[in-house]
Amino acid sequence: MLYTTREPDPAHIGFLDDLAGSDIGQGYKRRALAALDLRPGLTVLDVGCGPGSDLPALAEQVTDRGRIVGVDLWEGMVDEARARTAHLPWVEVQVGDAQQLPLPDAAVDRARADRVVQHVAEPTAVFAELRRVLRPGGRAVIVEPDRDSLVIDGNPAANLAYNRFVCERRVRNPRVGRELGRLAEDAGLRVETVLADAPVIRDFDAADRLLNLRRTLRRAVRYGYLDEAAADRWLTELRTGRFLASSILFIAVLTRP
Ligand SMILES: C[S@@+](CC[C@H](N)C(=O)[O-])C[C@H]1O[C@@H](n2cnc3c(N)ncnc32)[C@H](O)[C@@H]1O
């Protein structure tokens, strides 16, 4: 297996920053932030906070009367998130696993995870932990892609082979986006709503940056999902034609009864 839960390198942080700074990233993140229903004084957990992409926005809404706790599995991410929020003393960032959160029961009013559950070994453990650490009446907003939903205008066979590679080799839980409501209910959380975002990218270079298209395609060739000639033909078609790609991101809004 070739999953992406390896220790991230600085290039991976740059990749996360590119998405967070793009129109697409800002669009869905705004929607997810609004669904979290924040106000001054609340305690908010950001599970898999990465380099701290969303911590300042959360901190601004709860103000210095509240508290933000970022948790990430990797020390490199935690160091970066701490450096970026050093000027916000009501933000703390800890190393920890989403499947075994380093927090007591009923410790937070709000929790969020943005493209994290797709990577964990046991998604059910993440939802059990969210239920445990949320206070009764607390709310969680979970954003996950459905990696099998990527559509790219062009050769459909190459698109299918690419998606198969991503789903079978790149991501542990490639279809977790569509499963969010079910997983949450099974853990005893209430599903308020599940929203879907399907951003459209019409520029090849932007898609390459945000989806790592060329690099992933080269890996798919290495693993035998399509041959080199077919991959080259597809890339030429995508670069020279009128490009369009889209993929679904699900946003689940949950409460703890
Ligand atoms: C796609 S990144 C998203 C980062 C951030 N939420 C954002 O929106 O920019 C996924 C993050 O989840 C973290 N992660 C992966 N598995 C995890 C786990 N079991 N527990 C906590 N964090 C985890 C990774 O280190 C990475 O920072």
Side-chain angles (χ1 to χ4, degrees):
M1 286 296 178
L2 177 76
Y3 293 127
T4 54
T5 45
R6 69 195 187 288
E7 173 85 49
D9 55 25
H12 188 56
I13 291 181
F15 174 72
L16 293 177
D17 284 342
D18 276 351
L19 180 67
S22 69
D23 288 348
I24 286 174
Q26 288 187 6
Y28 89 77
K29 280 176 180 292
R30 243 194 322 270
R31 214 171 166 202
L33 184 65
L36 207 48
D37 187 29
L38 296 181
R39 49 182 179 271
L42 293 184
T43 296
V44 184
L45 168 67
D46 189 4
V47 180
C49 64
S53 327
D54 302 298
L55 297 176
L58 300 173
E60 189 187 334
Q61 297 219 10
V62 303
T63 76
D64 59 0
R65 287 162 43 207
R67 180 174 165 234
I68 307 294
V69 183
V71 169
D72 201 281
L73 191 60
W74 300 112
E75 227 165 273
M77 288 294 186
V78 169
D79 290 346
E80 184 67 25
R82 281 184 182 146
R84 291 184 187 187
T85 54
H87 61 296
L88 300 166
W90 62 102
V91 177
E92 65 191 77
V93 190
Q94 304 179 27
V95 174
D97 188 338
Q99 301 158 107
Q100 207 175 352
L101 288 166
L103 289 165
D105 296 356
V108 304
D109 304 295
R110 301 285 186 269
R112 70 184 296 278
D114 185 340
R115 293 166 299 133
V116 179
V117 188
Q118 60 175 333
H119 296 303
V120 307
E122 280 296 338
T124 52
V126 179
F127 285 89
E129 280 295 84
L130 287 172
R131 188 184 192 284
R132 182 182 70 76
V133 301
L134 273 171
R135 293 190 180 123
R139 175 180 284 247
V141 174
I142 312 299
V143 181
E144 293 296 334
D146 200 303
R147 305 293 286 257
D148 207 9
S149 69
L150 176 67
V151 291
I152 304 182
D153 185 20
N155 182 343
N159 190 165
L160 270 179
Y162 181 95
N163 285 6
R164 261 192 60 224
F165 169 66
V166 170
C167 292
E168 290 176 11
R169 298 287 192 144
R170 294 296 294 161
V171 185
R172 281 183 204 270
N173 309 302
R175 299 177 188 88
V176 74
R178 73 184 75 166
E179 298 163 359
L180 290 176
R182 169 164 56 82
L183 287 165
E185 274 178 359
D186 287 350
L189 292 161
R190 185 180 303 132
V191 179
E192 299 298 333
T193 184
V194 181
L195 309 166
D197 227 61
V200 173
I201 308 177
R202 295 183 60 210
D203 175 71
F204 174 82
D205 291 325
D208 191 27
R209 247 189 344 270
L210 298 178
L211 304 172
N212 241 333
L213 210 54
R214 273 182 299 185
R215 197 158 153 227
T216 307
L217 187 59
R218 261 193 293 278
R219 286 186 165 157
V221 169
R222 213 177 313 139
Y223 279 78
Y225 280 76
L226 70 177
D227 65 45
E228 194 141 11
D232 286 347
R233 271 197 308 277
W234 194 41
L235 266 186
T236 306
E237 181 190 8
L238 299 184
R239 277 157 120 166
T240 54
R242 282 164 292 180
F243 185 83
L244 186 144
S246 185
S247 179
I248 304 174
L249 263 177
F250 287 97
I251 303 174
V253 183
L254 315 169
T255 49
R256 198 282 205 202

